Amino acid sequence: MGQDVRELLWGDAARPPRGRPAGLSREQIVAEAIAIADAEGLQKVSMKRVAERLDCGVMSLYRHVDGKEQLVALMHDTAIGPAPDLSADRGWREAVAEWARATRAYFLAHPWALPLVTEDRPVGPNEVSWLDQGLGALESTRLSGAERLAAVMVVNGFVRGGVQPEVQESYAGAQWFDFMADPRARERFPNTSALFADGSMSYETPELSFEFGLQVVLDGLERRIGDAA
Amino acid sequence: MGQDVRELLWGDAARPPRGRPAGLSREQIVAEAIAIADAEGLQKVSMKRVAERLDCGVMSLYRHVDGKEQLVALMHDTAIGPAPDLSADRGWREAVAEWARATRAYFLAHPWALPLVTEDRPVGPNEVSWLDQGLGALESTRLSGAERLAAVMVVNGFVRGGVQPEVQESYAGAQWFDFMADPRARERFPNTSALFADGSMSYETPELSFEFGLQVVLDGLERRIGDAA
DNA sequence: ACCTGAACACCGTTCAAGT
DNA sequence: ACCTGAACACCGTTCAAGT
């Protein structure tokens, strides 16, 4: 796998130099797969569907990608793209906030990526650039390396969790709360029931929820950073 | 789906009352599926494998579960079990911390559940009980309903993000960092490279990282709760 | 009536036959 | 040598045939 990952990272170096006019490229394959996932979801992405779109045999794809697993890894790394440059002089708090908002924007644009990032998978260069920029945003602080890493992971986890209800149809469509129709459920889950009754769970203001959570995380970091300084 | 979810929640009420000695039950099927996932991972759980284990025809399973999707939902809800009771008199901070640690313990015990919870899926009664207890842990505070919900989601997101490297083999086995072997990578990702060089990314002290992140989140909540009071 | 085997419509990938 | 169709070993689920 080590070799695979390196190839995926720095790719293209040794591409098959000769043969057909090369009607097919890895970039095309990945782009088509992303288009399918954006339109119909990740589980509709099959080698066959991608090949159909590109008017080629299924096995032709294997000339350019190792297999489905690598294709999916490439989809994510291509779709997320390189991280925004946060090195501008604006203080760690605003830099981290921008990082978090950009991450949220990615998942909103490509909801299929959300379950994907929780799986064990090879990491690509663009994803590493996000980690690197996240760490860079905390460079001006006195946090240790391990603390900076943990801090980036807290922010990352928060973003993923906060974005999930926004991209899930069953939540937006309120099927998630169907169980609350049952009076026994309302009795058994009084706290949830209260939230449901006062409209707190309607999730009509996702951005406000996101910003609330973000400020909580940033406040927590601020205190740690203050202690370290 | 509403009906399905309600049935999944309160189940068992109207079970087929007559017929064979009922050599098969939903509980058995779910238990066997969990056993397979624990031992070999979620993708090894197939209707066929479960049926083999139970010495029955594949289609016999469909008498007790709607299909694979419902089976997986039942696996999660069964494996996570009811939430611990946090109503004891110990203050919101320790209650939330306990909630977070118990959630982490679940994912460590059943790593296959981590990618699963990020998917759009019907929610079961045990999972709702965790939400309910999480909200209950914040009952003594002056946070609004929407704020409490957002707070639980911040903690939940943090736990999932923090636990992910702990349960991922490629991270524990260090393949995750293979790309750092390339000098071009070290140049391109200086912050990540520095962490790698000083050993911060070895992830040999996962519990310390978890506790650091948890305290960050709790500190952030404390400030919000103080503001609200 | 209950149960379940055969058949179907999909997967991703191996392998050997094509050019 | 490059490319790719046929074949394989799986999926989950429908449907109709069994008891």
Side-chain angles (χ1 to χ4, degrees):
Chain A
M1 152 116 40
Q3 202 54 39
D4 279 359
V5 172
R6 203 132 11 125
E7 197 276 334
L8 183 141
L9 252 175
W10 305 103
D12 308 40
R15 194 65 69 74
R18 230 158 280 285
R20 287 273 184 85
L24 212 57
S25 73
R26 171 181 281 189
E27 287 72 24
Q28 268 177 48
I29 293 170
V30 173
E32 219 61 59
I34 291 174
I36 295 171
D38 283 346
E40 306 175 49
L42 189 60
Q43 78 275 51
K44 285 298 182 72
V45 176
S46 73
M47 301 305 267
K48 198 188 161 194
R49 277 291 305 275
V50 173
E52 265 170 19
R53 282 239 198 178
L54 291 165
D55 257 321
C56 70
V58 180
M59 293 318 297
S60 307
L61 302 175
Y62 286 78
R63 281 274 127 199
H64 301 90
V65 292
D66 271 6
K68 181 82 182 289
E69 200 182 320
Q70 195 200 36
L71 175 56
V72 171
L74 286 165
M75 286 172 66
H76 169 56
D77 208 62
T78 303
I80 198 171
D85 188 3
L86 302 171
S87 57
D89 193 19
R90 78 184 101 180
W92 69 266
R93 187 163 173 134
E94 194 44 47
V96 171
E98 179 128 342
W99 190 93
R101 292 189 191 109
T103 303
R104 171 173 178 255
Y106 168 60
F107 288 117
L108 291 181
H110 303 285
W112 47 267
L114 191 56
L116 199 150
V117 292
T118 322
E119 247 139 46
D120 202 356
R121 69 216 146 69
V123 69
N126 286 332
E127 188 168 7
V128 176
S129 82
W130 283 80
L131 171 61
D132 208 65
Q133 288 294 329
L135 293 168
L138 295 163
E139 204 175 16
S140 63
T141 69
R142 289 274 161 97
L143 292 178
S144 74
E147 285 169 338
R148 276 182 231 183
L149 178 59
V152 171
M153 284 174 57
V154 170
V155 176
N156 200 28
F158 154 68
V159 172
R160 291 178 187 182
V163 143
Q164 184 171 359
E166 294 192 66
V167 303
Q168 273 182 6
E169 290 174 33
S170 71
Y171 195 97
Q175 294 106 317
W176 205 90
F177 311 114
D178 279 357
F179 62 88
M180 274 299 159
D182 194 310
R184 284 169 300 180
R186 289 198 296 273
E187 188 184 347
R188 184 162 154 197
F189 308 120
N191 301 312
T192 313
S193 185
L195 247 63
F196 187 69
D198 77 7
S200 297
M201 286 184 98
S202 69
Y203 217 84
E204 277 159 6
T205 56
E207 270 176 72
L208 293 182
S209 293
F210 182 85
E211 286 298 326
F212 173 85
L214 180 57
Q215 297 308 321
V216 165
V217 171
L218 293 173
D219 286 347
L221 282 177
E222 191 163 305
R223 177 154 160 193
R224 287 284 141 170
I225 287 168
D227 288 353
Chain B
M1 150 111 45
Q3 202 54 40
D4 279 0
V5 172
R6 202 130 14 123
E7 198 274 336
L8 184 140
L9 252 174
W10 305 104
D12 309 39
R15 195 64 73 73
R18 230 158 276 288
R20 286 273 186 83
L24 212 58
S25 74
R26 172 181 281 188
E27 287 73 23
Q28 266 177 48
I29 293 170
V30 174
E32 219 60 59
I34 291 173
I36 296 170
D38 284 346
E40 305 176 47
L42 189 59
Q43 80 275 49
K44 286 297 183 72
V45 176
S46 73
M47 300 305 267
K48 198 188 161 195
R49 277 292 304 277
V50 174
E52 266 170 19
R53 282 239 197 177
L54 291 164
D55 256 318
C56 70
V58 180
M59 293 318 296
S60 307
L61 302 176
Y62 286 79
R63 282 272 127 201
H64 301 88
V65 292
D66 270 6
K68 180 84 182 286
E69 201 182 320
Q70 197 201 33
L71 174 57
V72 171
L74 286 164
M75 285 171 67
H76 170 54
D77 208 63
T78 302
I80 198 171
D85 188 2
L86 303 171
S87 57
D89 192 19
R90 80 185 100 179
W92 70 265
R93 188 164 173 133
E94 194 44 47
V96 170
E98 178 128 342
W99 188 93
R101 292 188 192 111
T103 303
R104 170 173 178 257
Y106 168 59
F107 287 118
L108 291 181
H110 304 285
W112 48 266
L114 191 57
L116 199 149
V117 293
T118 322
E119 247 139 46
D120 202 356
R121 70 215 145 70
V123 70
N126 286 332
E127 189 168 7
V128 175
S129 83
W130 282 79
L131 171 61
D132 208 66
Q133 288 293 329
L135 293 169
L138 295 162
E139 204 176 17
S140 64
T141 70
R142 289 275 160 98
L143 292 178
S144 74
E147 285 169 337
R148 276 182 230 180
L149 178 59
V152 171
M153 284 174 56
V154 170
V155 176
N156 199 28
F158 153 68
V159 173
R160 291 177 187 182
V163 142
Q164 184 171 0
E166 294 192 65
V167 303
Q168 273 182 7
E169 289 174 32
S170 72
Y171 196 97
Q175 295 106 318
W176 205 92
F177 311 114
D178 278 356
F179 62 88
M180 273 301 159
D182 194 310
R184 284 169 300 179
R186 289 199 294 272
E187 188 183 348
R188 185 163 155 197
F189 308 119
N191 302 312
T192 312
S193 184
L195 247 64
F196 187 70
D198 76 7
S200 298
M201 286 184 97
S202 68
Y203 217 84
E204 278 159 7
T205 54
E207 270 177 70
L208 292 182
S209 293
F210 182 84
E211 286 298 326
F212 172 85
L214 180 57
Q215 296 307 321
V216 165
V217 171
L218 293 174
D219 286 348
L221 281 178
E222 190 163 304
R223 177 154 160 193
R224 288 284 141 172
I225 287 167
D227 289 353

